[in-house]
Amino acid sequence: MRTKEHVKREILAAIDRRADQIVGLGERIRRAPELGFKEVKTARLVEEAFAGLGLAPKTGLALTAVRAEARGSADGPTLALLGELDGLVVSGHSLADPATGAAHACGHNAQIAGLLGAAMGLLDAKAMEALSGRAVFFAVPAEEYGDVEWRADQAQQGRLEFLSGKAELLKLGHFDDVDLAMMIHTTARPEDRKAVVDVSNNGCIVKTVRYIGRAAHAGGAPHDGINALYAANIGLSAINAIRETFRDEDSIRVHPIITHGGSQVNVIPAEVRLETYVRGKTIEAILEASVKVDRALRAGALALGAKVEIATLPGYLPLRNNEAMAKIFKENAVGLVGEAEFASGDHRPGSTDMGDLSHVMPGLHPYMGGARGGHHAADFEIADPVLAYLGPAKALALTAVDLLWDGGTLARDVLRSSKPRMTKEEYLKFQRGLERREAFDGGAPSPVMGR
Ligand SMILES: [Zn+2]
Ligand SMILES: [Zn+2]
């Protein structure tokens, strides 16, 4: 009978034996970035890697997810290890796909390398024979919530409901048999050192906004037009004016972009489209800010006599890392990178759909280093492939061993000590309840109060 330490040592040795392969996979994906729900080539690579390990992957879940599992020698909890497949559009990134603009400027390629490496380590070392329950290896799509018009179009066609990967997978039932979930994100922030666990991440809602004016000859008859771009400008200025009403502790972030600014330059713009997130630390704070943002957007339509359509879509729920899982991860991470290289963070203003999962099951979303530059910036790159790709592989596999060892005692402890904040049904109902479509006519006459 092998001891837990023995099994862990064999996993680490197995991952080290596969180091070149795992680094190669991470680099291959880095050089072939794809956008969310379109990660076809990356998904195929994952499928082949899983099949090569003797697993039986299911593919095409929520369009592009790939899921495989390995059983322990006895019944027990099911732990999902996740890796995100997608890149995002960052102009100026040196490895951006010339056709789509996609780039791995958030290091998700390292998540996939880590996930595949963890599966390799656990299977090569025959660790599952010593574990209980199941390990689910799950490559998931579309964490970066962008490309919104295309996704909304997919939803119209009935190919998606939720516009992020984990939410859609949750809805489709692919997490129904999962008890706890974890993933490791890459970080480039020096203050995160080589591994960090935070307390929480912001959540968000997403808005698509359409200002509708009236086209007219921009030189000959601008007085006949209603300039949707100026309406949008005033809407954006109004959002900037309300920023001082956001409380620091709510960590609100509102960052609109113009996705369509007019048809051509000699025509008064009749249609202008915006997208924005409203992020915040709590659901209440997000919803409160959302009301103000809608009001600001209406102000633009009112000033010009334009119309504005505001669609509010469910985004991500705020993430809270499970403390018991964080403790187990920390022990393993410290073993790998040393106490001095481990950081304990607080709150991060970015958002992730791991927040959604963390509402329905214990979830963990720590970060490990190996990248440099700015996240979502043109200079983001993998600086230390060994740390970026092998670090998460090892930390995921070792944490899985702890959770599923001895009948899955620690996983059962986690489940006993942490009641999920929502059932799956409550989650779906809540997210669907956020969806809202408003049409405001800034040209409508206001009621007369008398003289
Ligand atoms: Zn990102
Ligand atoms: Zn990311």
Side-chain angles (χ1 to χ4, degrees), residues 13 42 88 122 133 138 179 209 254 298 300 320 335 347 357 382 391 433 444:
T42 315
L88 74 165
L122 286 164
F138 211 163
D179 298 303
V209 183
V254 187
R298 278 184 225 119
R320 259 202 106 76
H347 180 73
L357 272 188
I382 300 297

Side-chain angles (χ1 to χ4, degrees), residues 114-425:
L115 170 66
L116 296 176
M120 288 169 185
L122 286 164
L123 296 174
D124 285 358
K126 299 196 180 349
M128 295 312 293
E129 289 172 10
L131 302 179
S132 300
R134 291 178 309 160
V136 168
F137 307 110
F138 211 163
V140 300
E143 187 276 333
E144 305 287 359
Y145 199 135
D147 203 8
V148 179
E149 286 188 8
W150 180 84
R151 291 187 195 179
D153 197 46
Q154 301 302 302
Q156 284 259 305
Q157 296 172 36
R159 298 183 74 214
L160 288 175
E161 178 185 350
F162 293 103
L163 306 191
S164 86
K166 294 181 198 69
E168 184 70 1
L169 288 166
L170 250 176
K171 181 208 72 175
L172 292 171
H174 298 300
F175 282 101
D176 285 359
D177 62 346
V178 172
D179 298 303
L180 4 75
M182 76 171 290
M183 56 174 283
I184 300 173
H185 200 291
T186 310
T187 180
R189 303 191 325 179
E191 64 268 38
D192 290 339
R193 292 180 237 167
K194 289 185 178 168
V196 63
V197 184
D198 303 279
V199 176
S200 53
N201 275 67
N202 265 356
C204 67
I205 53 173
V206 180
K207 289 179 189 289
T208 62
V209 183
R210 187 167 165 250
Y211 282 96
I212 304 147
R214 187 165 60 225
H217 195 296
H223 46 271
D224 286 337
I226 296 176
N227 193 317
L229 182 60
Y230 295 155
N233 274 338
I234 291 169
L236 296 176
S237 298
I239 289 174
N240 289 335
I242 57 173
R243 290 187 194 279
E244 68 178 8
T245 71
F246 298 149
R247 285 183 299 258
D248 291 349
E249 59 267 35
D250 288 335
S251 186
I252 300 293
R253 297 281 191 276
V254 187
H255 39 84
I257 60 166
I258 296 178
T259 57
H260 177 80
S263 60
Q264 70 167 46
V265 67
N266 54 355
V267 180
I268 295 293
E271 182 185 3
V272 168
R273 297 195 297 276
L274 315 180
E275 288 172 11
T276 190
Y277 285 9
V278 180
R279 306 189 199 235
K281 193 170 181 176
T282 64
I283 290 168
E284 296 71 31
I286 295 168
L287 295 179
E288 199 180 303
S290 170
V291 168
K292 296 178 183 176
V293 167
D294 288 351
R295 208 167 53 208
L297 290 167
R298 278 184 225 119
L302 187 62
L304 273 287
K307 296 188 174 83
V308 62
E309 296 170 357
I310 306 168
T312 299
L313 305 169
Y316 301 155
L317 295 184
L319 168 79
R320 259 202 106 76
N321 280 309
N322 181 277
E323 283 175 40
M325 290 174 78
K327 233 177 101 190
I328 299 166
F329 167 79
K330 180 181 173 178
E331 277 172 29
N332 287 307
V334 165
L336 292 169
V337 303
E339 185 86 48
E341 287 294 338
F342 186 89
S344 292
D346 182 13
H347 180 73
R348 292 174 100 100
S351 337
T352 162
D353 55 1
M354 194 62 189
D356 298 49
L357 272 188
S358 82
H359 274 70
V360 299
M361 67 181 68
L364 186 69
H365 182 276
Y367 295 76
M368 289 185 82
R372 74 171 157 233
H375 284 256
H376 296 196
D379 63 351
F380 184 92
E381 62 181 356
I382 300 297
D384 177 350
V386 170
L387 175 59
Y389 301 140
L390 303 190
K394 291 176 177 175
L396 283 174
L398 298 185
T399 306
V401 169
D402 282 324
L403 286 165
L404 301 179
W405 188 261
D406 188 23
T409 308
L410 281 182
R412 289 180 207 272
D413 286 351
V414 170
L415 291 168
R416 241 191 319 271
S417 66
S418 44
K419 191 179 144 23
R421 272 162 295 171
M422 293 179 177
T423 63
K424 176 185 163 188
E425 287 65 37

